[in-house]
Amino acid sequence: MRSTHAKDHSARAPRRPVAAAPGASLPRRPVAGAGEGPGRTGACPVASGPLPAGSAGVREADADVPGAVARMLDHVLTERLRRARLADPLFAEELAERVTRFTLQGGKRTRAQLVWWASRACAGRDAAAAVAALHIAAALELLQTCALVHDDVMDRASLRRGRPALHTDLTDGYAGLVGPERAERFGQSAAVLAGDLALAWADDLVGQTPLAPWTGVAVRRLWSDMRTEMVAGQYLDALGQVTAARSLSRALRAACLKSALYSVERPLALGATAAGADDLTLRRLGGAGRCVGMAFQLRDDLDDVFGDPLETGKACGGDIREGKPTYLVAVARARAEAAGDDAALGVLDRWLGDVSLTGRGLDEVRDVLDATGARATVESKIDRLTAQGLRHFDGALLDPEGAEPLRRLLIAASGTGPGGAPPGGTGPTPTEPGGTPPGGTGPTPTEPGGTPPGGTGPTPTEPGGKPPGGDAVVGLRTARGPYACGAPGSAGTGR
């Protein structure tokens, strides 16, 4: 795919106006009646801004959640830009405004919508809970800006959302003045600072979210854990690239930390916690989020290799070019080794981590991913994880007005079929009153000492029952340790 270059090649990028975009464990809950919960007198005063007014305002936001989040962001970022200009006009023009544009242009705002609908499913039309949800949703969008801007620098990606990445835009703006090499270095350095600025603004917004005292402590703890998990996942990802580590367990752990928790489970937990959800609801939403979050990341791995750049907004093969230790590639290598397929291993060794990856090389890798069954294995795993996540979700007692949109959003995040039935999968299990599946055989959310969500699905095997790669079992059960996804007592249980 031909790279896209910024049109601006002047020494200083011209000022572009910023317009509004369209449309771990928690502390113990205090005893009931202590002034906690959305709408009670113990809550902080509601902040000003484009916020829902009463149940009618909540219903209005329901009709266009991305638009409601965009209005909140526009309100917040207008004030942040004003203060940035007081600090330094050039800094505001060239960096703060780019952060603002990037955030307002946004993507699908999936994480923000998860926060909103989790809050709605747990608190109904409570306006105070809706205000808190919009603050947290907007903060997540700023955190996503930080993650994407830094990702593009680390991955040397020139495109983001079909446009020049932020560091590319900055580089092009100064190439004519200082030369391409110095401009590239400047663009990368400035993009790191841009990501830091977005992170600071996100933290500010969470700190200003109107919440009752204990709820605020719980939300800030979740937020802090999520930020640490993101960095840990990115570090494992970068470490896997430099050491060429290809183990299945390491690939799953990195995927869990950098994406599954951050992209689905934590947004659900933040919305539900801000809405005052009880511990059982938090655990069941946590199980749903962990399973669907892993499915989300595995789908992203597939899209990077097989997706349409017009839909993904980035060129294909980035993970292959950077040598990222994805689960998809780990399965292909394990299966090729188990089958003694030296030709397939040769292709992987040739092209993984080769920054000059050609279209022909990517086609060869695709052929290996198909021939070894890795692509089919990952597709099947996505289906099973999604179905299991929906069973956890259907076991939670939620407000139907928020639960149904939230369920549809989880299905969309996993990239599976409509209506809750993954392609080729069994679909969610209907439940009896109280959340018990008919016959009483459905999975139980993670309890102390119980079975972790995501750890019970069938394990794909080679003919004769041998897991790919011998002792490396293809499943979430390989992920063990302090950050193991789904391990009892691990980060993200919702307790």
Side-chain angles (χ1 to χ4, degrees), residues 298-372:
L298 296 181
R299 176 65 62 190
D300 188 67
D301 293 346
L302 284 171
D303 286 346
D304 180 82
V305 180
F306 297 100
D308 182 352
L310 295 178
E311 295 182 6
T312 63
K314 57 182 180 180
C316 282
D319 289 349
I320 305 300
R321 189 173 292 105
E322 294 298 319
K324 289 197 173 185
T326 65
Y327 180 72
L328 174 66
V329 169
V331 171
R333 184 175 292 277
R335 286 179 174 265
E337 289 174 349
D341 190 343
D342 292 336
L345 290 171
V347 169
L348 296 177
D349 290 339
R350 166 67 183 88
W351 292 113
L352 286 177
D354 189 336
V355 295
S356 62
L357 175 72
T358 63
R360 179 183 63 82
L362 182 57
D363 286 340
E364 290 179 6
V365 173
R366 287 169 173 157
D367 289 342
V368 168
L369 297 176
D370 278 324
T372 59

Side-chain angles (χ1 to χ4, degrees), residues 114-140:
L114 286 169
V115 171
W116 174 264
W117 289 114
S119 174
R120 286 281 280 109
C122 294
R125 301 182 199 173
D126 186 283
V131 167
L134 279 180
H135 276 80
I136 295 168
L140 264 177

Side-chain angles (χ1 to χ4, degrees), residues 248 327 331 335 373-374 376-378 380-381 384 457-463 465-470 472-477:
L248 293 163
Y327 180 72
V331 171
R335 286 179 174 265
T377 294
V378 173
S380 178
K381 190 171 188 65
R384 292 196 310 274
T459 302
T461 58
E462 297 289 347
K466 180 182 179 182
V473 178
V474 182
L476 288 176
R477 287 172 296 193

Side-chain angles (χ1 to χ4, degrees), residues 72-381:
M72 171 62 75
L73 281 168
D74 189 48
H75 170 73
V76 168
L77 292 175
T78 296
E79 171 62 15
R80 292 299 184 277
L81 277 178
R82 184 188 69 80
R83 292 162 62 180
R85 292 182 184 114
L86 291 176
D88 185 84
L90 183 60
F91 155 74
E93 179 182 329
E94 296 200 353
L95 204 69
E97 286 195 10
R98 276 185 168 88
V99 170
T100 298
R101 279 194 300 274
F102 188 100
T103 305
L104 289 177
Q105 288 166 348
K108 298 178 181 178
R109 305 208 190 279
T110 300
R111 295 166 187 83
Q113 292 187 69
L114 286 169
V115 171
W116 174 264
W117 289 114
S119 174
R120 286 281 280 109
C122 294
R125 301 182 199 173
D126 186 283
V131 167
L134 279 180
H135 276 80
I136 295 168
L140 264 177
E141 288 299 310
L142 281 164
L143 186 62
Q144 177 71 348
T145 292
C146 168
L148 293 180
V149 169
H150 285 173
D151 275 356
D152 288 343
V153 173
M154 290 188 289
D155 295 344
R156 292 174 289 185
S158 61
L159 287 176
R160 172 61 66 179
R161 296 169 178 162
R163 295 183 290 267
L166 192 143
H167 70 278
T168 303
D169 190 28
L170 285 161
T171 297
D172 290 345
Y174 279 85
L177 178 67
V178 300
E181 185 174 343
R182 292 184 63 190
E184 181 180 14
R185 177 63 177 164
F186 165 75
Q188 293 171 348
S189 299
V192 170
L193 296 174
D196 291 346
L197 182 63
L199 175 60
W201 286 352
D203 286 348
D204 290 346
L205 190 49
V206 171
Q208 295 164 4
T209 299
L211 293 167
W214 177 89
T215 304
V217 171
V219 165
R220 289 190 294 273
R221 173 64 182 273
L222 280 168
W223 182 264
S224 175
D225 287 346
M226 179 180 66
R227 291 194 317 159
T228 300
E229 291 155 359
M230 284 175 60
V231 175
Q234 290 288 23
Y235 176 75
L236 292 180
D237 198 41
L239 183 64
Q241 291 175 240
V242 74
T243 61
R246 311 293 184 197
S247 75
L248 293 163
S249 60
R250 180 68 64 173
L252 281 172
R253 185 175 300 178
C256 175
L257 286 167
K258 76 172 186 176
S259 185
L261 289 169
Y262 162 62
S263 295
V264 183
E265 182 176 354
R266 290 311 197 191
L268 287 178
L270 285 165
T273 300
D278 59 66
D279 290 341
L280 179 59
T281 299
L282 288 172
R283 286 199 298 273
R284 293 190 171 178
L285 287 179
R290 196 171 308 117
C291 292
V292 173
M294 283 300 300
F296 171 88
Q297 179 57 47
L298 296 181
R299 176 65 62 190
D300 188 67
D301 293 346
L302 284 171
D303 286 346
D304 180 82
V305 180
F306 297 100
D308 182 352
L310 295 178
E311 295 182 6
T312 63
K314 57 182 180 180
C316 282
D319 289 349
I320 305 300
R321 189 173 292 105
E322 294 298 319
K324 289 197 173 185
T326 65
Y327 180 72
L328 174 66
V329 169
V331 171
R333 184 175 292 277
R335 286 179 174 265
E337 289 174 349
D341 190 343
D342 292 336
L345 290 171
V347 169
L348 296 177
D349 290 339
R350 166 67 183 88
W351 292 113
L352 286 177
D354 189 336
V355 295
S356 62
L357 175 72
T358 63
R360 179 183 63 82
L362 182 57
D363 286 340
E364 290 179 6
V365 173
R366 287 169 173 157
D367 289 342
V368 168
L369 297 176
D370 278 324
T372 59
R375 182 182 186 181
T377 294
V378 173
E379 290 277 10
S380 178
K381 190 171 188 65

Side-chain angles (χ1 to χ4, degrees), residues 418-452:
T426 58
T429 303
T431 56
E432 300 289 350
T436 304
T441 59
T444 303
T446 304
E447 301 285 354
T451 302

